[in-house]
Amino acid sequence: MFLWSFCSVELLLRHEPKLFGASVSDRVETLRLHFMVTINTNGFVAVVEPPGEREYLGKMPAGFRMIAALLGDLDNSDGRGKVFFRQESSPDVLRRAHEHIKKAFPRDDSVEPPSVLIITWANMAAQGTSGRGDGLDAKRNTFQLVLASTDLSSYAILLYPRGGLQFLSTSVDGESKLLEAGFNEGLVKGWFRTTQGTYFRITTDEETSIKELTEKTNSGQRGVWVYEIGTSWLFAGITPGMVSKTEEPEYEEPGQYPESETVTPTYSSPERVQPRYLDQPEPRYPEETATRYPISEPPQPRYTVPELTEPRYSPVQPSYPDSVQPRYTNPDPVQPVPPYSQPQHPQIVVVDEDEDLNVNVFAYNLETCAHNRHKCSAFADCRDYSNGYCCHCRPGFYGNGKDCVAEGKPQRMNGKVNGRVFVGNSPSPIELSNNDLHSYVVANDGRAYVAISNIPNSVGPSLQPLSSLGGVIGWAFALEQPGYQNGFSLIGGVFSRQAEVIFQPGNERLSIKQEFKGIDEHDHLVVSTELDGRLPAIPLGSSVQINPYKEIYQYDRNLITSSSNRDYTITSPDGTVQTRSYQWRQTITFQSCPHNEATGVAPSTQQLSVDQIFVMFDADNHLIRYAMSNKIGSVHSILPEQNPCFTGRHGCDINAMCRPGEGLQFTCECAAGFTGDGRYCHDIDECRENPRVCGSNAVCTNLPGTFRCECLNGFVFASDGRTCIEENRPVDHCQRGSHDCDAPERALCSYTGGSAYVCSCLPGYEGDGRVCREREKTQCERQRESAQASGSGSGFFSFFRPRPAVGQYVPQCDEHGAYEPTQCHASIGQCWCVDANGQEIPNTRTGSGNTPLCINQVVTPPPVGPTPRPDVHPVTPGTHLLFAQSGKIEHVPLDGYKMKKEEAKPLLHIPDRVVIAVAYDCVEKMVYWTDITGPAISKASLSGGDIIPVLQSPEGIAIDHVSRLLFWTDSMRDTIEVSKLDGSQRRVLFDTDLVNPRPIVTNPAYGRLFWADWNRDGPKIEMSNMDGTERTVLVKDDLGLPNGLTFDPDNQQLCWADAGTRKVECMDPHRQLRRQIVDGIQYPFSLVSFGKNLYYTDWRREAVVAVDRLSEKEMEEFLPQKRSRLYGITTTPSQCPQAYNYCSNNGGCSHLCLPRLGGFTCRCPDAADVKNLTQNF
């Protein structure tokens, strides 16, 4: 499995580097010394051939001598990442190295080195992310190591990018491990024993230490670190540079070789913010702002290069699919891609340097579109100007060119909230740690919704006046009045915001700092928030009303300021009413494109008008919620615009733009990526309309408003970012026998695709699969052997297998040696339940022909229902099919649309239960199911854990992940009901004209509910709003037994599988256009949609069947190992479908918020101890 390919280069150096004082170079100038340096793609240089990476990744200090420039599991297999190295003796480079050393050690009389060795790791990816196509593979790190030697000493110069590292960790054996930098001495041999030598760490176990590599210094220049690494052949230690203070000029002139960089200013000096257009990594070349030593001139051959098994790569300028925009956002740990594959072979790709590799980063002479087009949004054009380039959003999109979004498309913001907040006169602060912030704005009417979770009751009520805490998205996407622009139109999604709040009359002060980091790969604006200060106390249970207000924004170059006074009213639980106020001052700093002064100039002042403000602290769910309407326009008192496009009262689809006409006339125009009449817009399936949009060897996945290209199995993206090329041939090490699993009689090697495999111990053994030990027999197994042995007689057959005496009870054990929860004695025809120790549970014994419902007692059961079996592992990320089969729920991973049948396994064992329907909540990643033996509705997390009972009721089940609602059908009571996801606030929606209701599905974006009734005398498919209004029969003709029902939100298609007509059909519920997909099927039970495929379970075939909805053909089937009837089926998408309805923040309702088309209704639960009040909005 682990074949290592290193590039060892024998460099003929005039002066040998003294790595950790490794040796002293010979002073005779005519003697040529041979010194081997091993350069590894994992970010280090060694003086010996290193062992396999399992010996050092995540296990430092290692047993060999190395310099770790940035150690991690790095990858260059896609051809974009490269490693350059060369010996250099040009005067300019030697002078530069000498200046770095002299700055770091100003008191030393250093001399200019006669030569240096330069190693550049350019555009290296984290292992496992290359070729994903989801944005993570765009995160690349570039860094440099320079080894300089004089007659007296050797030095290491480490250089890191000014713009920051793109990722800070890599996955090692499935765990996220921080990158490391430092000097490792390795094993040191003494007289009597060998000991581990010194490991001088530059970084620590804190993430901030990796970030500080680019932000701090020990040589007077940020991002440059200098160390003296040897003065003799003895290991005398590492001496770091002595100058941590930077003295750097404010600006750099193109074409110069500046000795320092612009220091990012404090908040009070926004005009000196480091230009963003210079801090992004450049794919074709090593990091422009990182690589301080040129590698461009073709060197004379002073060394030999060993033969490489890999082809040589030439740098290629990448481009990207129009639908997938690479974004360089905040440096997050990169997570592994399932299945967890074993590491690829680290390799050095040697490139013969020529004139085409001009990487002189001191001269910013590459600021042209030819080299920087990829830094613009996929929906922007790049234009060259005299001093550089700028990005401009195309028609139909708006933003600053780096970030562009479609006009009229709803926008989301996600982030974290941290900080310390004092409340009232309390001496102790409330700590906020990574609290989730989610926001949503309907761009075509300026309405914004914000929610922050996990807020303690001690601070939640006091946060209610701070609607602007998350309301900045309201300014960013405010409804624009004629001639004015909202925040995103002007500055995009990368900016800093600092606000100071002074509360009256108590003079409490709160500081708010927010960093907006652009739009991520999921099209969400990303923000981090820090709070610090004191809030006036507001009693729990109080409500807060914020009056409408206006706020004037003043615009300057790279700076926006605003201030306002805001009044709010507090109504205490006892009815006391207080009016208070606070002063609000904020400053927003950003970096605009400096090269185009003529365009994008906003009015110097604009006024943000905020009304319809709603705030609430939900103490039960620990949520603070805000909602508000936002308009941006003139500061002058003029008559307000009456055109519906500027008032927001136009009725256009949420995915549409309102275009004003004369007077009150207007038109609705669907956003880019959608089609329709503007009143109703549905997604364009780019994959269907242009099947070759992603090229060959790629699969196209349609997304709302766009699409994504992914390479087929065995292919990865080439350096152009869109062409799929064949990856290195995978090796099945299990079949070849080159794995490191234990012996076959103790362990099993399972091939998992690519060149990866997993080792697992066979039943009766325990360990990690590579080392398996015989497991000690359990109590059940010992009791079973004793019962079998006691009845064994002498004779031929007893030699092979002990047999119990006739009539003797033999306990039944599961594969892990635990007692089966149900024990039976065949001789007496009785069964009973046992606990974890095998002891009979009283009053559970049954007679002949009956079997009790027993709960597995190996783990502590919940109050109602069974628990997960301990042998069930959490599901790996990605999209899976979940289906129910008798007493278990199984999952099958999807590779594109193809079922990975060999990886199918049980998700959850539920003994003696009959699971009918399954549903999935993509927000909390919970699986819900109905059980008719209870009857009950239960849920469990995909990541493992106990089963949680929800309700006592069967049979069909559906989830609105936006409103956090649960809907179900009950064929015993003939009802359709709704509740919160935890089963609370239950309410019957329909209890008439229902006979056998079974499948039920939701359309959260339109607040719609669909269900089927397989009444043999009059089958039908119905639709209503989620609040129970507008009930309509959609289909009643040519139906037999409509068992399965599913809704595809991307294509707005309602599909059903009919066991009576033996057909699968679909229709557009808006236009009621019906078409047949396939016929002649056997006995479908349940149906689910995923992309272009429909998947259904079939009772007669006892299989999961895949149907291509576009080609109207059956594609494949999956037959579970255990053959029996299959019931409900659903999918577990890795991302929630983009949807919005008015109940995403519960709409301000006290109890149930039920969406409907164009609004929502507040309803009370049937059993609520309150007046049953209905409010429509």
Side-chain angles (χ1 to χ4, degrees):
M1 177 60 195
F2 302 105
L3 302 176
W4 306 102
S5 174
F6 298 106
C7 180
S8 300
V9 182
E10 223 175 50
L11 300 176
L12 304 180
L13 305 179
R14 289 191 297 271
H15 288 258
E16 175 184 348
K18 304 168 187 64
L19 302 183
F20 311 108
S23 61
V24 179
S25 59
D26 198 307
R27 302 293 179 87
V28 181
E29 292 296 328
T30 58
L31 180 63
R32 305 190 76 187
L33 300 176
H34 291 254
F35 183 71
M36 188 186 77
V37 175
T38 301
I39 304 170
N40 192 283
T41 52
N42 281 337
F44 68 88
V45 173
V47 296
V48 296
E49 183 169 312
E53 65 181 25
R54 292 173 61 90
E55 301 299 319
Y56 60 84
L57 284 182
K59 298 177 181 178
M60 294 293 289
F64 61 97
R65 186 168 296 183
M66 71 149 81
I67 299 177
L70 200 62
L71 177 65
D73 195 0
L74 307 181
D75 182 23
N76 69 332
S77 61
D78 62 353
R80 289 183 59 196
K82 302 226 180 357
V83 181
F84 306 101
F85 56 92
R86 63 181 298 183
Q87 183 182 356
E88 178 63 79
S89 57
S90 67
D92 182 61
V93 171
L94 297 182
R95 175 186 58 81
R96 211 174 306 175
H98 180 230
E99 289 175 352
H100 281 310
I101 296 170
K102 193 166 184 177
K103 279 188 176 182
F105 300 99
R107 298 179 183 178
D108 293 355
D109 295 327
S110 60
V111 297
E112 190 171 287
S115 65
V116 294
L117 173 64
I118 303 171
I119 305 107
T120 305
W121 289 265
N123 298 318
M124 303 298 289
Q127 185 68 249
T129 62
S130 179
R132 284 175 57 144
D134 59 358
L136 288 179
D137 60 346
K139 293 189 175 183
R140 304 281 169 149
N141 282 343
T142 296
F143 50 96
Q144 216 170 21
L145 168 65
V146 179
L147 296 176
S149 293
T150 67
D151 286 341
L152 300 177
S153 189
S154 289
Y155 299 88
I157 306 172
L158 298 160
L159 305 105
Y160 302 99
R162 298 175 190 168
L165 296 167
Q166 294 295 318
F167 59 90
L168 306 180
S169 64
T170 60
S171 175
V172 178
D173 292 333
E175 295 185 16
S176 180
K177 296 289 186 181
L178 291 174
L179 301 174
E180 296 184 52
F183 304 86
N184 184 63
E185 187 179 12
L187 296 178
V188 178
K189 293 185 178 180
W191 289 104
F192 302 104
R193 63 192 179 95
T194 299
T195 59
Q196 177 68 49
T198 301
Y199 179 35
F200 183 94
R201 296 190 65 177
I202 301 174
T203 58
T204 67
D205 292 330
E206 297 294 328
E207 186 176 281
T208 53
S209 69
I210 296 97
K211 294 181 180 179
E212 288 174 350
L213 290 175
T214 66
E215 300 167 356
K216 295 186 177 181
T217 181
N218 68 0
S219 67
Q221 184 172 340
R222 193 173 69 242
V224 180
W225 302 79
V226 181
Y227 296 86
E228 186 179 19
I229 59 176
T231 56
S232 71
W233 65 273
L234 297 173
F235 183 77
I238 304 296
T239 304
M242 304 168 60
V243 182
S244 60
K245 184 179 179 181
T246 60
E247 296 179 0
E248 304 179 339
E250 185 172 346
Y251 299 104
E252 298 175 2
E253 294 296 332
Q256 301 299 314
Y257 295 90
E259 299 300 334
S260 53
E261 306 162 359
T262 303
V263 178
T264 301
T266 60
Y267 157 76
S268 60
S269 303
E271 67 278 7
R272 296 180 57 196
V273 174
Q274 181 177 342
R276 176 172 177 246
Y277 279 67
L278 301 181
D279 66 5
Q280 301 290 356
E282 212 296 317
R284 180 175 180 179
Y285 303 95
E287 177 75 43
E288 288 188 23
T289 56
T291 318
R292 314 292 165 82
Y293 288 84
I295 55 174
S296 54
E297 300 87 349
Q300 297 301 318
R302 292 191 288 267
Y303 51 84
T304 58
V305 180
E307 287 295 325
L308 297 177
T309 57
E310 289 295 306
R312 298 187 177 196
Y313 294 85
S314 297
V316 178
Q317 173 69 24
S319 58
Y320 299 89
D322 289 341
S323 62
V324 182
Q325 178 182 356
R327 296 187 175 95
Y328 298 85
T329 57
N330 57 312
D332 296 324
V334 180
Q335 299 301 321
V337 182
Y340 298 134
S341 58
Q342 300 293 347
Q344 302 296 316
H345 314 321
Q347 293 162 352
I348 292 293
V349 177
V350 182
V351 179
D352 293 329
E353 302 171 87
D354 55 28
E355 292 80 356
D356 192 42
L357 291 176
N358 181 16
V359 195
N360 187 340
V361 302
F362 290 110
Y364 290 110
N365 56 358
L366 299 177
E367 292 297 303
T368 63
C369 290
H371 299 112
N372 296 279
R373 170 64 185 86
H374 67 282
K375 296 179 184 178
C376 298
S377 166
F379 310 112
D381 295 319
C382 185
R383 298 178 195 167
D384 284 319
Y385 295 90
S386 58
N387 295 324
Y389 73 96
C390 288
C391 304
H392 301 276
C393 296
R394 295 171 185 161
F397 297 85
Y398 64 102
N400 68 343
K402 294 294 185 76
D403 290 317
C404 298
V405 297
E407 292 180 348
K409 185 178 178 181
Q411 301 299 326
R412 292 183 179 275
M413 179 174 73
N414 293 331
K416 300 290 184 181
V417 179
N418 294 277
R420 302 189 334 145
V421 179
F422 296 84
V423 177
N425 296 320
S426 172
S428 301
I430 307 299
E431 299 283 347
L432 300 177
S433 179
N434 286 331
N435 297 66
D436 287 323
L437 182 151
H438 298 286
S439 183
Y440 186 92
V441 62
V442 182
N444 61 16
D445 66 9
R447 185 75 175 164
Y449 303 85
V450 182
I452 306 175
S453 62
N454 298 319
I455 300 295
N457 290 352
S458 54
V459 71
S462 300
L463 285 172
Q464 292 181 97
L466 293 176
S467 60
S468 290
L469 183 62
V472 64
I473 195 174
W475 164 75
F477 297 102
L479 185 61
E480 297 174 338
Q481 302 302 293
Y484 295 88
Q485 295 175 284
N486 59 29
F488 196 89
S489 296
L490 291 171
I491 68 174
V494 178
F495 56 92
S496 299
R497 179 201 200 200
Q498 179 163 321
E500 299 293 335
V501 189
I502 303 176
F503 294 88
Q504 300 298 339
N507 206 39
E508 296 91 349
R509 294 172 180 262
L510 182 73
S511 172
I512 304 172
K513 295 181 180 180
Q514 292 181 301
E515 291 292 332
F516 293 82
K517 304 172 183 178
I519 295 180
D520 65 10
E521 59 270 20
H522 306 300
D523 280 337
H524 296 169
L525 186 62
V526 179
V527 61
S528 62
T529 302
E530 291 280 346
L531 303 180
D532 185 29
R534 187 176 296 274
L535 293 169
I538 296 179
L540 184 65
S542 301
S543 63
V544 171
Q545 177 68 44
I546 301 177
N547 296 332
Y549 62 89
K550 300 181 185 297
E551 187 172 356
I552 295 177
Y553 282 70
Q554 297 181 352
Y555 296 78
D556 200 351
R557 182 74 177 178
N558 298 335
L559 175 67
I560 301 172
T561 59
S562 72
S563 61
S564 64
N565 292 319
R566 304 183 186 177
D567 298 324
Y568 61 97
T569 303
I570 304 171
T571 304
S572 301
D574 61 3
T576 304
V577 178
Q578 302 179 59
T579 298
R580 296 180 183 175
S581 66
Y582 62 81
Q583 295 175 344
W584 170 276
R585 289 196 300 255
Q586 71 171 351
T587 302
I588 295 171
T589 58
F590 61 98
Q591 181 58 53
S592 61
C593 183
H595 308 303
N596 180 23
E597 301 287 346
T599 60
V601 178
S604 59
T605 57
Q606 296 189 121
Q607 181 171 271
L608 179 71
S609 301
V610 183
D611 58 13
Q612 300 181 49
I613 305 168
F614 166 80
V615 299
M616 183 186 73
F617 175 63
D618 184 347
D620 294 333
N621 295 304
H622 304 290
L623 286 171
I624 183 78
R625 304 179 188 274
Y626 308 104
M628 66 215 73
S629 290
N630 307 270
K631 296 183 180 69
I632 194 79
S634 172
V635 299
H636 302 293
S637 298
I638 58 177
L639 292 176
E641 290 286 342
Q642 298 300 316
N643 189 287
C645 291
F646 304 124
T647 65
R649 299 184 177 92
H650 43 65
C652 298
D653 189 277
I654 60 172
N655 291 302
M657 186 66 185
C658 182
R659 303 293 188 189
E662 293 291 333
L664 299 180
Q665 300 298 312
F666 68 95
T667 58
C668 298
E669 179 182 315
C670 292
F674 295 86
T675 186
D677 59 7
R679 298 281 183 171
Y680 163 70
C681 299
H682 63 274
D683 177 56
I684 297 173
D685 189 342
E686 294 88 352
C687 304
R688 182 178 182 181
E689 293 193 358
N690 184 8
R692 299 190 58 81
V693 65
C694 289
S696 58
N697 304 318
V699 61
C700 178
T701 302
N702 186 55
L703 299 173
T706 182
F707 64 98
R708 176 184 297 156
C709 298
E710 296 175 300
C711 293
L712 297 174
N713 273 349
F715 294 86
V716 295
F717 282 118
S719 57
D720 64 0
R722 64 185 307 164
T723 305
C724 292
I725 59 175
E726 193 169 7
E727 64 179 344
N728 296 334
R729 292 292 182 182
V731 177
D732 185 347
H733 293 279
C734 296
Q735 183 179 19
R736 177 182 288 186
S738 54
H739 59 81
D740 60 351
C741 300
D742 207 338
E745 60 268 19
R746 295 188 294 273
L748 174 67
C749 178
S750 301
Y751 176 60
T752 58
S755 295
Y757 61 91
V758 294
C759 303
S760 56
C761 295
L762 294 175
Y765 294 88
E766 59 185 6
D768 62 0
R770 288 172 170 78
V771 178
C772 297
R773 300 170 297 277
E774 187 172 3
R775 176 172 53 79
E776 182 180 352
K777 288 184 171 60
T778 64
Q779 176 183 341
C780 181
E781 291 169 332
R782 291 195 298 270
Q783 184 180 350
R784 180 176 62 187
E785 287 186 1
S786 175
Q788 291 172 337
S790 63
S792 300
S794 59
F796 179 78
F797 289 103
S798 62
F799 175 81
F800 292 98
R801 182 180 179 184
R803 293 187 301 171
V806 176
Q808 182 174 354
Y809 160 67
V810 178
Q812 294 94 55
C813 312
D814 66 15
E815 61 179 341
H816 297 281
Y819 286 97
E820 290 283 2
T822 303
Q823 297 286 320
C824 295
H825 192 172
S827 298
I828 63 176
Q830 293 184 350
C831 297
W832 60 92
C833 300
V834 297
D835 59 20
N837 296 317
Q839 299 299 311
E840 181 177 349
I841 298 176
N843 303 319
T844 61
R845 189 176 287 262
T846 61
S848 177
N850 293 318
T851 302
L853 295 176
C854 301
I855 296 174
N856 190 342
Q857 301 290 333
V858 174
V859 293
T860 304
V864 179
T867 59
R869 289 279 290 268
D871 57 316
V872 175
H873 298 286
V875 173
T876 55
T879 300
H880 296 68
L881 290 175
L882 298 184
F883 64 88
Q885 182 183 29
S886 187
K888 64 181 177 180
I889 297 175
E890 292 207 13
H891 72 89
V892 184
L894 290 178
D895 183 4
Y897 297 112
K898 185 177 179 60
M899 292 182 280
K900 302 174 74 171
K901 305 171 187 177
E902 69 281 358
E903 296 184 22
K905 61 179 67 173
L907 168 71
L908 196 67
H909 286 279
I910 317 171
D912 304 309
R913 303 284 173 168
V914 179
V915 176
I916 295 297
V918 289
Y920 179 65
D921 175 21
C922 58
V923 176
E924 296 182 344
K925 303 192 184 307
M926 300 287 289
V927 182
Y928 290 71
W929 67 91
T930 59
D931 164 23
I932 62 170
T933 53
I937 298 176
S938 305
K939 65 179 180 179
S941 173
L942 273 191
S943 60
D946 290 342
I947 291 176
I948 303 169
V950 180
L951 286 167
Q952 301 289 315
S953 187
E955 151 177 10
I957 187 173
I959 288 172
D960 177 355
H961 69 277
V962 179
S963 302
R964 319 304 294 148
L965 294 174
L966 181 69
F967 297 87
W968 68 93
T969 58
D970 190 328
S971 59
M972 302 297 293
R973 302 173 59 197
D974 293 336
T975 59
I976 293 175
E977 304 184 47
V978 63
S979 75
K980 295 285 191 180
L981 282 181
D982 61 1
S984 65
Q985 304 185 32
R986 179 172 176 173
R987 179 182 178 87
V988 175
L989 291 177
F990 302 108
D991 59 2
T992 61
D993 200 18
L994 295 169
V995 179
N996 289 308
R998 178 177 287 159
I1000 184 169
V1001 292
T1002 62
N1003 179 5
Y1006 288 84
R1008 293 291 199 180
L1009 197 62
F1010 307 92
W1011 67 92
D1013 188 330
W1014 57 271
N1015 174 15
R1016 294 182 183 273
D1017 296 327
K1020 59 185 176 180
I1021 298 174
E1022 294 188 83
M1023 174 183 73
S1024 75
N1025 288 323
M1026 290 182 181
D1027 64 356
T1029 60
E1030 299 183 18
R1031 180 178 179 180
T1032 306
V1033 175
L1034 278 179
V1035 185
K1036 63 180 179 179
D1037 299 326
D1038 299 322
L1039 290 178
L1041 296 173
N1043 275 337
L1045 194 65
T1046 187
F1047 185 78
D1048 177 3
D1050 293 338
N1051 297 285
Q1052 295 291 306
Q1053 291 287 302
L1054 179 71
C1055 302
W1056 63 92
D1058 194 317
T1061 63
R1062 300 173 61 189
K1063 297 178 181 179
V1064 175
E1065 298 182 79
C1066 293
M1067 76 176 301
D1068 181 336
H1070 306 281
R1071 299 177 175 84
Q1072 299 194 13
L1073 302 176
R1074 177 177 176 179
R1075 70 185 182 100
Q1076 176 180 297
I1077 305 300
V1078 292
D1079 63 354
I1081 61 177
Q1082 296 192 29
Y1083 201 100
F1085 184 83
S1086 184
L1087 180 72
V1088 69
S1089 170
F1090 178 69
K1092 67 184 182 68
N1093 274 12
L1094 295 168
Y1095 301 86
Y1096 69 88
T1097 55
D1098 194 297
W1099 271 15
R1100 291 196 180 134
R1101 295 168 66 171
E1102 296 179 345
V1104 177
V1105 183
V1107 174
D1108 188 319
R1109 192 174 56 202
L1110 304 181
S1111 64
E1112 300 179 354
K1113 295 179 180 179
E1114 178 180 321
M1115 303 306 294
E1116 61 174 334
E1117 72 171 1
F1118 168 66
L1119 299 172
Q1121 187 174 6
K1122 180 182 177 182
R1123 302 299 297 277
S1124 64
R1125 284 182 172 179
L1126 308 185
Y1127 291 87
I1129 187 170
T1130 190
T1131 59
T1132 66
S1134 56
Q1135 300 178 29
C1136 287
Q1138 183 179 356
Y1140 164 79
N1141 61 44
Y1142 288 91
C1143 291
S1144 57
N1145 289 319
N1146 210 49
C1149 300
S1150 61
H1151 291 79
L1152 284 172
C1153 178
L1154 302 179
R1156 57 183 172 82
L1157 188 61
F1160 65 99
T1161 302
C1162 296
R1163 300 244 185 204
C1164 293
D1166 289 340
D1169 190 19
V1170 294
K1171 183 179 179 181
N1172 193 353
L1173 178 66
T1174 297
Q1175 289 182 301
N1176 294 320
F1177 296 91

